[in-house]
Amino acid sequence: HRDENMQVVPLWATEWKQTPEGVFLTLDPKAKWQDGTPATAEDVKANIEALMGQYAPAFKGTPRLAHMKKAVEEVQVIDPTHIFIKTRSSDPTFLPTIGGANYHLLWFGPGAYLKQVGHDGYIKRPLGGGPYKIQEFKAGDRIVWERWEDFWGQACYWKKPQHRSMEWIEVPDDAARFAMLKGKQVDMVVNVPYAIAKPLPRSETGQRGVNPQKGALWTQTMK
């Protein structure tokens, strides 16, 4: 994952090493899924295989399926907290793709559950391992999240969320999105056009993520 200063930091994988042969991962032994089962190397293996399309048509893979199939030669489980993903060639883009170094380009869930319910079942009842559970999901409309009280992560950059619930709303129109922000219908919007954001104070002038002038509106540029 990345912290608020955009530095790559551990989350599920506490250590990682990339070589020309592939990627070694060490997983947090405390990690678990939201159904209470441990999150282990077997889950990483099942997720990588699912993302490569090996469970099709029950699970449909990922938009990056072609990259995954081209990149991965074999997934080797060493023990519950150690895994080696052997790549077909030296691929510097592979680690950011499967991890959080480029934000979460892929989603991970309980391996046995993925195989059991397939793609459609997972969409109806998604299970992850993060600090929020998905309470409601309507594609192209909204996601409603509820804080997961049993979140296992313990890091200074990944604390238990302050808010019990959170709602993400899809609003494609730039002006409408900004109007909702100004009207206090929402607390935050993303992808504000430069023409709108240009006169607003920015957190980069001080500590990242902090409102610099304590005004009603401010921005943070994603670099």
Side-chain angles (χ1 to χ4, degrees):
H1 197 64
R2 287 182 184 260
D3 65 11
E4 68 273 16
N5 297 311
M6 306 303 289
Q7 298 301 306
V8 180
V9 292
L11 193 57
W12 185 14
T14 57
E15 296 178 19
W16 55 91
K17 180 176 71 173
Q18 185 166 13
T19 71
E21 289 73 37
V23 176
F24 290 90
L25 299 175
T26 299
L27 306 178
D28 189 330
K30 301 187 300 294
K32 60 181 179 179
W33 302 111
Q34 290 167 345
D35 62 356
T37 59
T40 69
E42 289 288 352
D43 291 309
V44 176
K45 184 176 189 294
N47 276 266
I48 295 297
E49 291 172 349
L51 296 168
M52 293 170 65
Q54 292 189 17
Y55 304 149
F59 201 83
K60 301 175 184 178
T62 170
R64 291 172 178 81
L65 184 145
H67 180 200
M68 300 294 291
K69 292 180 71 172
K70 181 180 178 181
V72 178
E73 180 175 333
E74 183 184 9
V75 183
Q76 302 172 0
V77 173
I78 302 170
D79 61 40
T81 58
H82 295 87
I83 193 166
F84 176 61
I85 305 170
K86 186 177 182 181
T87 53
R88 299 184 190 279
S89 62
S90 180
D91 184 352
T93 68
F94 182 70
L95 187 57
T97 297
I98 66 167
N102 239 8
Y103 291 97
H104 291 291
L105 301 180
L106 303 173
W107 294 93
F108 294 87
Y113 181 67
L114 290 178
K115 296 176 183 178
Q116 175 188 346
V117 302
H119 184 92
D120 293 338
Y122 192 81
I123 292 298
K124 290 178 182 177
R125 185 172 178 263
L127 280 175
Y132 280 97
K133 287 184 176 182
I134 296 180
Q135 191 177 50
E136 179 186 355
F137 171 52
K138 294 182 179 179
D141 182 23
R142 71 186 63 235
I143 306 177
V144 180
W145 309 79
E146 181 182 8
R147 187 173 66 197
W148 182 35
E149 302 296 344
D150 294 328
F151 178 55
W152 48 271
Q154 297 178 15
C156 60
Y157 49 83
W158 195 280
K159 303 181 183 71
K160 187 175 182 177
Q162 300 175 37
H163 304 289
R164 186 171 298 279
S165 63
M166 174 173 57
E167 183 177 17
W168 292 3
I169 307 170
E170 183 169 337
V171 182
D173 183 79
D174 297 334
R177 199 160 59 248
F178 188 66
M180 292 179 71
L181 180 67
K182 290 196 297 182
K184 298 184 179 181
Q185 294 171 272
V186 295
D187 298 299
M188 182 178 71
V189 299
V190 296
N191 298 333
V192 181
Y194 180 72
I196 294 175
K198 184 179 179 180
L200 298 176
R202 306 182 188 188
S203 70
E204 290 90 310
T205 59
Q207 182 181 352
R208 184 175 176 84
V210 175
N211 185 349
Q213 298 178 14
K214 309 301 181 185
L217 300 174
W218 57 283
T219 70
Q220 179 170 295
T221 302
M222 303 306 295
K223 296 183 179 179

